[in-house]
Amino acid sequence: MDLPRIFTIRESEHRIHNPFTPDKLATLGRSLRLPAGTRVLDLAGGSGEMLCTWARDLGFTGTGVDISTLFTEQARARAVELDVADRVEFVHGDAAGHVSDTPVDLAACVGATWIGDGVAGTVELLQRSLRPGGMMLIGEPYWRLTPPDEETAKACHATGPDDFLSLPGLIESFGDLGYDVVEMTLADQDSWDRYSAAQWLTMRRWLDANPDDEMAVQVREELTTEPARYTRYTREYLGWGVFALMRR
């Protein structure tokens, strides 16, 4: 049980596996106005940067669950580095279907709604771990600009223009599920660059160190094509944000 290796090669040097910078992650945490001692469940939480920094800066506690062996190891090391290992724990496991044994104050899935087969299923999954009156975080893409055709949508790693909503449409969809949107923090093109462009140097250095690896051909193909694809399509058309929700 693990992520495909190509994903961990690309993002092995990332602490944040989405289009947020440390400043945006900190802004999101402060914006929630939750007290020290807030209990968090972070599903598909990657290398644990959100949970670890919020434990350090905001006094939160909690558990992160991720399917990647590498990212789980990095999260545990980060907790030790930031001296919060007594407040957070990281579990290697499949976040799909994971429900906390004890209700939490904040349940999050920041950028991995495939664990619930989409936004609606992920919202339902997170709700199962929340205490009454608790808050959830959903990280999700949306169209900054509507793709003019299917080719453009596929170049943004969508199957077609209907895969994502506009920003107003996404927010309205949360209302249709019975939730108030009570906060949001959005990526911008600069923070997208820090997520995507940083992968190129990681791939190049990996190739230099592993020229005979069985993955080298695939990594070389990605490094050759990805900068132009990203700047032509994803950077222009795709937005991303984290939305704080409370049940009505």
Side-chain angles (χ1 to χ4, degrees):
M1 182 173 59
D2 214 325
L3 282 178
R5 190 169 171 227
I6 185 62
F7 191 87
T8 54
I9 290 172
R10 275 191 222 116
E11 299 199 20
S12 59
E13 298 297 320
H14 281 47
R15 282 183 173 164
I16 302 172
H17 302 281
N18 59 58
F20 266 10
T21 59
D23 284 347
K24 283 188 177 291
L25 195 61
T27 296
L28 172 64
R30 291 192 302 268
S31 76
L32 303 178
R33 289 178 266 167
L34 294 170
T38 290
R39 297 161 297 167
V40 182
L41 175 66
D42 187 14
L43 296 185
S47 297
E49 190 72 0
M50 184 175 81
L51 192 52
C52 287
T53 56
W54 288 2
R56 178 194 64 191
D57 300 335
L58 303 172
F60 292 0
T61 66
T63 300
V65 182
D66 199 89
I67 201 171
S68 168
T69 303
L70 173 64
F71 296 164
T72 303
E73 292 173 353
Q74 290 177 336
R76 290 169 179 162
R78 186 65 166 153
V80 172
E81 179 184 2
L82 297 186
D83 195 26
V84 295
D86 60 333
R87 282 176 264 168
V88 297
E89 65 172 343
F90 294 96
V91 176
H92 174 241
D94 188 354
H98 184 97
V99 177
S100 177
D101 293 334
T102 303
V104 300
D105 305 303
L106 178 66
C109 178
V110 177
T113 55
W114 56 83
I115 68 170
D117 293 322
V119 170
T122 302
V123 166
E124 191 277 331
L125 173 62
L126 293 176
Q127 186 62 49
R128 291 165 62 191
S129 293
L130 272 183
R131 66 166 176 79
M135 186 182 296
M136 72 173 64
L137 298 177
I138 293 284
E140 183 70 3
Y142 59 87
W143 292 124
R144 290 181 64 244
L145 300 172
T146 303
D149 49 46
E150 189 170 313
E151 178 183 357
T152 301
K154 288 182 175 179
C156 296
H157 300 305
T159 59
D162 294 337
D163 266 16
F164 305 128
L165 300 170
S166 66
L167 179 57
L170 178 59
I171 288 176
E172 288 170 351
S173 76
F174 294 133
D176 292 342
L177 293 172
Y179 288 80
D180 289 322
V181 178
V182 296
E183 255 293 0
M184 72 176 187
T185 303
L186 302 181
D188 54 29
Q189 288 180 310
D190 288 342
S191 60
W192 263 111
D193 293 346
R194 300 291 18 96
Y195 174 56
S196 294
Q199 297 174 23
W200 311 337
L201 181 56
T202 299
M203 288 192 287
R204 174 54 195 265
R205 287 182 169 165
W206 184 92
L207 281 169
D208 289 346
N210 301 276
D212 299 320
D213 191 281
E214 63 181 5
M215 294 292 295
V217 172
Q218 183 176 351
V219 175
R220 164 44 61 194
E221 173 64 19
E222 286 206 15
L223 180 56
T224 300
T225 61
E226 185 62 15
R229 185 212 62 79
Y230 165 73
T231 52
R232 181 172 290 118
Y233 296 108
T234 300
R235 194 176 193 272
E236 297 302 314
Y237 286 93
L238 200 61
W240 193 86
V242 180
F243 305 88
L245 312 179
M246 297 181 72
R247 197 172 193 174
R248 289 176 181 164

